[in-house]
Amino acid sequence: MRTGSVSFATFAGVVVLWLAMGWAVIAPAQDEPDEGGTNQFLAPAAKVNYAFDKWRYSGEFQVRLDEGYRELSVWYLEGSATNLTSKYLELAADLRFSVKPDVEEIRPGLGIILKANQPKWQIGLQSKYQIDIPSEGTTGHGLREVLFANFLVKDNLIPGLIAGGFYRWR
């Protein structure tokens, strides 16, 4: 093995270990789920991406349906901007507007993405702070940790994996 390269088996082992450790413990400090906020299902979303020089922009619209898939529960409109600071670092900022059954909410976020790049794959770890500002009620805070893995199959085919968690407090 060359110095500085990582085998796919090692990479896969690290990802599996990270997932097992991350999801093995339930964080008791989490807020209790809101009434009626459990058992929601994500419906397909529409997303638009645009890139210019070292900047990437995206806009997304998504909805969540109730357990019976019959009623719109929540909808989100989100925009983000990412600066490709270097081959190994990105700075990310986003803003999400949410409409929930009993409150509207604005969620600005700011974070970094650390990346490891190889010719055929890339892994990244996003760490982001977010603040939930509701139209009424208590302001919430959150830390998001997300692991990305992308694999180049062909120039026009790059499948990816994503896993992570969101720690929230009020």
Side-chain angles (χ1 to χ4, degrees):
M1 179 183 284
R2 296 180 324 217
T3 304
S5 66
V6 177
S7 72
F8 181 79
T10 302
F11 169 73
V14 169
V15 170
V16 169
L17 180 61
W18 180 82
L19 289 173
M21 289 174 19
W23 296 106
V25 178
I26 296 174
Q30 294 291 307
D31 290 340
E32 291 296 318
D34 298 332
E35 280 293 317
T38 57
N39 298 323
Q40 290 180 345
F41 293 93
L42 178 64
K47 185 170 188 173
V48 176
N49 294 301
Y50 177 75
F52 180 74
D53 197 28
K54 291 189 170 203
W55 287 92
R56 289 185 302 169
Y57 307 95
S58 71
E60 183 173 7
F61 176 76
Q62 63 177 254
V63 297
R64 298 223 172 120
L65 305 174
D66 72 354
E67 191 169 349
Y69 296 104
R70 292 181 301 262
E71 184 178 310
L72 176 64
S73 177
V74 179
W75 65 266
Y76 302 101
L77 183 61
E78 182 172 355
S80 66
T82 303
N83 181 270
L84 307 171
T85 306
S86 75
K87 182 178 178 180
Y88 306 106
L89 177 68
E90 295 181 22
L91 302 176
D94 60 33
L95 180 65
R96 183 172 88 178
F97 179 70
S98 308
V99 176
K100 299 178 178 180
D102 55 350
V103 68
E104 291 82 35
E105 188 173 79
I106 295 175
R107 174 187 280 181
L110 187 60
I112 62 169
I113 302 170
L114 301 174
K115 302 182 296 184
N117 300 297
Q118 291 292 320
K120 294 288 187 178
W121 58 265
Q122 175 191 66
I123 58 172
L125 177 65
Q126 180 188 61
S127 299
K128 186 187 293 184
Y129 169 76
Q130 296 173 311
I131 183 168
D132 295 332
I133 306 168
S135 57
E136 57 185 60
T138 307
T139 298
H141 304 271
L143 290 175
R144 181 179 303 275
E145 292 289 332
V146 180
L147 182 68
F148 300 90
N150 300 307
F151 308 94
L152 178 65
V153 176
K154 295 181 181 179
D155 285 342
N156 60 354
L157 180 60
I158 305 173
L161 301 171
I162 182 172
F166 186 59
Y167 180 77
R168 185 174 180 176
W169 71 95
R170 293 200 182 269

